Amino acid sequence: MPPAESNLPNASPIVPGNQQLIESDKLFASIKPRSRLPTQHDISPLQPQRSRNFGENRPYLAVDVITPEDSRPSTPHSLKSMVDFDGLSWPSLGTRERLEATPEEAAARLNKLSGAIKTILECIGEDPNREGLLDTPMRHAKAMLYFTKGYEENLKSIVNNAVFQEDHDELVIVRDIEVFSMCEHHLVPFTGKMHIGYIPNNKVLGLSKFARIAEMFARRLQLQERLTKQVAMAIEEILQPQGVAVVMESAHLCMVMRGVEKTTATTTTSSMLGIFRKSTRTREEFMHLVKH
């Protein structure tokens, strides 16, 4: 008797990857998205299994469950990309004013930020007029604008037509990309390394562009989880590959200098799209090569 479809409340239908074409073709003249080739993976099709939680002690609660085809459930952000090719990607809104500011507007912004830093110095009990702090507000304002220069960059200028037709369908990995970013919760840095892998679908990207994409998203107020996913989504949107994998390892000063004050704690996040989400073997190959 064929297995019945699952009626479990948490079951969700398997939705194919986003096949929509990039609307702003003019921004990427060299990129002509095409429908992806069907991918094979090592996960067996839906199979009925006996629930491990029930059955022995409470046989009347034993149910048949369905093993999902995907080895990891899909997420809304991986099914529907929110990459904005102007560089103002989710969740950053309104940064176009900074991107397109005139020299006069940029100077006014710098002076306003400098005044805010002076107020901070006063609030913590310092004297902004003493010799050592006279130029600190302006120096810090310039530094803060540099730390967040990713708001003034966009994918169009970074990619710059560095997408090439190439008949390669094996794993490509760029390892140990240094990342410096600012935690949006406490405005203190977190630093680490990012590893990016993808399996091309007849198109490859210049290798330096992966580091530049990571840098663009990192130079904004961030969460490590969001940063990891944004990089993966951007690469997927640009190349339409068979799959993208991004892993990031970092240390957060908000855990070191304050709060729990654990100096050796590190955080690892990952974002797996396409075949890396579907295939355990492909994902394990990527993780093995990243570690070694």
Side-chain angles (χ1 to χ4, degrees), residues 155-218:
L155 287 174
K156 175 186 176 182
S157 60
I158 287 177
V159 174
N160 194 26
N161 295 328
V163 177
F164 308 102
Q165 191 82 22
E166 185 63 39
D167 184 19
H168 183 78
D169 60 355
E170 295 293 338
L171 183 57
V172 178
I173 298 178
V174 182
R175 289 178 44 187
D176 297 330
I177 301 171
E178 289 184 318
V179 172
F180 304 91
S181 192
M182 296 279 288
C183 168
E184 69 178 34
H185 293 156
H186 301 98
L187 297 185
V188 294
F190 65 91
T191 64
K193 292 183 178 181
M194 181 176 288
H195 318 290
I196 301 174
Y198 78 106
I199 297 181
N201 188 7
N202 298 321
K203 287 186 180 295
V204 297
L205 180 65
L207 294 179
S208 67
K209 304 303 181 182
F210 294 99
R212 293 184 182 276
I213 291 172
E215 174 80 357
M216 181 191 77
F217 285 113

Side-chain angles (χ1 to χ4, degrees), residues 34-238:
R34 52 190 293 177
S35 59
R36 302 179 196 172
L37 299 176
T39 56
Q40 299 294 328
H41 55 80
D42 60 327
I43 304 302
S44 59
L46 300 181
Q47 297 291 338
Q49 292 184 350
R50 202 68 169 171
S51 172
R52 291 183 295 180
N53 298 327
F54 309 109
E56 295 181 0
N57 299 326
R58 293 180 290 177
Y60 56 91
L61 289 178
V63 295
D64 287 335
V65 297
I66 300 297
T67 301
E69 183 180 9
D70 286 0
S71 61
R72 286 186 171 190
S74 297
T75 66
H77 294 323
S78 62
L79 292 177
K80 184 177 181 181
S81 174
M82 289 184 281
V83 172
D84 179 347
F85 286 97
D86 286 333
L88 313 180
S89 300
W90 134 86
S92 308
L93 302 175
T95 55
R96 188 181 295 276
E97 293 180 5
R98 177 175 170 182
L99 181 68
E100 300 176 348
T102 64
E104 293 77 14
E105 292 171 338
R109 181 187 300 273
L110 182 62
N111 290 329
K112 183 178 180 180
L113 182 55
S114 176
I117 302 303
K118 183 176 181 180
T119 300
I120 290 176
L121 292 175
E122 294 172 346
C123 290
I124 65 175
E126 266 292 357
D127 177 12
N129 296 316
R130 68 179 177 87
E131 182 181 6
L133 295 178
L134 277 177
D135 296 325
T136 296
M138 183 59 69
R139 283 196 296 260
H140 186 78
K142 292 179 179 179
M144 183 60 70
L145 290 177
Y146 180 81
F147 296 155
T148 60
K149 66 185 179 70
Y151 290 122
E152 300 179 20
E153 298 173 335
N154 59 71
L155 287 174
K156 175 186 176 182
S157 60
I158 287 177
V159 174
N160 194 26
N161 295 328
V163 177
F164 308 102
Q165 191 82 22
E166 185 63 39
D167 184 19
H168 183 78
D169 60 355
E170 295 293 338
L171 183 57
V172 178
I173 298 178
V174 182
R175 289 178 44 187
D176 297 330
I177 301 171
E178 289 184 318
V179 172
F180 304 91
S181 192
M182 296 279 288
C183 168
E184 69 178 34
H185 293 156
H186 301 98
L187 297 185
V188 294
F190 65 91
T191 64
K193 292 183 178 181
M194 181 176 288
H195 318 290
I196 301 174
Y198 78 106
I199 297 181
N201 188 7
N202 298 321
K203 287 186 180 295
V204 297
L205 180 65
L207 294 179
S208 67
K209 304 303 181 182
F210 294 99
R212 293 184 182 276
I213 291 172
E215 174 80 357
M216 181 191 77
F217 285 113
R219 294 294 185 174
R220 303 176 180 187
L221 301 184
Q222 277 288 9
L223 299 177
Q224 182 177 332
E225 297 87 341
R226 183 196 307 138
L227 172 58
T228 307
K229 183 163 290 187
Q230 281 182 322
V231 172
M233 289 165 51
I235 296 170
E236 182 186 48
E237 194 78 5
I238 292 168

Side-chain angles (χ1 to χ4, degrees), residues 249-275:
E249 306 166 275
S250 67
H252 294 248
L253 288 186
C254 58
M255 289 184 63
V256 175
M257 296 179 64
R258 57 164 298 283
V260 70
E261 297 184 359
K262 299 300 181 184
T263 59
T264 59
T266 60
T267 302
T268 302
T269 52
S270 69
S271 180
M272 306 286 174
L273 305 179
I275 196 172

